[in-house]
């Protein structure tokens, strides 16, 4: 059974850096892209970026200057760093596996980030 | 960037009725790369339809997808109580590599 378990800080002050990690179990880490997606409260979904097992990344152009996604294949983990957060970054952040035809097949449980001074 | 616009924003129907949800793209989207998700409160989205018309594993056959080019539709033939949720469409673009979602349609009980 595929499971994505994510964790990280849920409350940050403006200008701080968000760090989240997602651990994958029940499926091979290789051969797929792994993604971060966020959803502001009551709003729609925004793709942040993705990475494969060899470290090849793609980022949303609107966030590329502040985002880093990395991978640790030895631990079946991938991570998100988002720098210089503001209130506009307040959202639920999800990790997900990208499957065939570019769909988000499996999702983590979500982590609520609140940015407040 | 391809923008997906969903309509209506909110759809009020009764159990047993038919629901038709629309997703319109700002430019042509490959049908292969158009998907639909259901999201219930406090949960992550769940994949319903991929390739515009193929049901994901375990999805009941009352859910169907159709469309091509810039206009796509999700139809729920006979609404069950558990179908009342928010629905998102999503597209994958290969050049450039990016993913975008519609803003969602809330399906609520009338």
């Amino acid at each position: 059974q595929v499971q994505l378990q994510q964790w990280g800080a849920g409350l940050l002050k403006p200008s701080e850096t968000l760090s989240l990690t997602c651990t994958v179990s029940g499926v091979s880490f290789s051969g797929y892209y792994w993604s971060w997606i966020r959803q502001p409260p009551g709003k729609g979904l925004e793709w942040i970026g993705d990475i494969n097992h060899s470290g090849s990344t793609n980022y949303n152009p609107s966030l590329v200057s502040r985002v880093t996604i990395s991978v640790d294949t030895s631990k079946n983990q991938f991570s998100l760093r988002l720098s210089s957060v503001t209130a506009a970054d307040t959202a639920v952040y999800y990790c997900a596996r990208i499957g065939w035809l570019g769909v988000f097949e499996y999702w983590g449980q979500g982590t609520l980030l609140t940015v407040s001074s | 960037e391809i923008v997906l616009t969903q309509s209506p924003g909110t759809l009020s129907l009764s159990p047993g009725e038919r629901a038709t949800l629309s997703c319109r793209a700002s430019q042509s989207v490959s049908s292969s790369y158009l998907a639909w998700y259901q999201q219930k409160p406090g949960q992550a989205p769940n994949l319903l339809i991929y390739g515009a018309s193929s049901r994901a594993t375990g999805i009941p056959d009352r859910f169907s997808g159709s469309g091509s080019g810039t206009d796509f539709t999700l139809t729920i033939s006979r609404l069950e109580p558990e179908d009342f949720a928010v629905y998102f469409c999503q597209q994958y673009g290969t050049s450039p590599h990016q993913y975008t979602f519609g803003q969602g349609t809330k399906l609520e009980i009338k």
Side-chain angles (χ1 to χ4, degrees):
Chain A
Q1 182 181 357
V2 180
Q3 287 193 325
L4 282 74
Q5 186 74 28
Q6 58 183 102
W7 72 90
L11 178 61
L12 293 176
K13 293 181 168 56
S15 80
E16 292 185 328
T17 296
L18 168 69
S19 292
L20 296 175
T21 298
C22 185
T23 298
V24 179
S25 60
V27 69
S28 171
F29 202 69
S30 302
Y32 295 96
Y33 272 82
W34 303 88
S35 183
W36 291 96
I37 296 155
R38 68 180 182 178
Q39 184 174 33
K43 295 188 178 181
L45 298 153
E46 180 180 34
W47 170 71
I48 298 170
D50 56 51
I51 191 166
N52 67 4
H53 69 282
S54 62
S56 176
T57 55
N58 299 282
Y59 297 127
N60 188 319
S62 68
L63 297 168
V64 64
S65 63
R66 298 194 291 130
V67 173
T68 303
I69 297 176
S70 58
V71 65
D72 184 341
T73 54
S74 67
K75 297 180 180 178
N76 273 16
Q77 291 178 345
F78 63 107
S79 299
L80 169 70
R81 287 176 59 85
L82 179 66
S83 64
S84 304
V85 299
T86 70
D89 295 312
T90 293
V92 175
Y93 286 73
Y94 294 100
C95 59
R97 188 182 89 170
I98 301 173
W100 186 50
L101 300 180
V103 299
F104 299 96
E105 296 180 300
Y106 300 102
W107 297 68
Q109 78 277 19
T111 300
L112 175 61
L113 167 68
T114 301
V115 180
S116 174
S117 56
Chain B
E1 173 186 324
I2 295 177
V3 176
L4 300 178
T5 302
Q6 293 186 240
S7 61
T10 301
L11 184 58
S12 300
L13 294 170
S14 301
E17 291 192 297
R18 180 185 187 89
T20 303
L21 287 66
S22 174
C23 176
R24 179 162 291 178
S26 59
Q27 55 187 281
S28 186
V29 171
S30 169
S31 296
S32 297
Y33 299 137
L34 194 287
W36 290 90
Y37 300 81
Q38 178 193 69
Q39 186 178 34
K40 296 181 179 179
Q43 297 183 17
N46 183 49
L47 177 65
L48 296 175
I49 300 287
Y50 64 93
S53 60
S54 298
R55 277 186 300 277
T57 302
I59 301 303
D61 61 6
R62 64 180 182 274
F63 290 91
S64 63
S66 63
S68 63
T70 60
D71 290 298
F72 297 89
T73 301
L74 174 69
T75 302
I76 310 172
S77 59
R78 294 171 308 279
L79 286 166
E80 298 286 343
E82 62 267 28
D83 298 337
F84 292 91
V86 179
Y87 292 84
F88 294 96
C89 57
Q90 172 250 318
Q91 71 88 28
Y92 166 51
T94 57
S95 183
H97 175 114
Q98 65 176 1
Y99 301 84
T100 55
F101 293 86
Q103 83 281 14
T105 290
K106 181 179 181 181
L107 179 57
E108 65 177 23
I109 298 177
K110 186 174 182 179

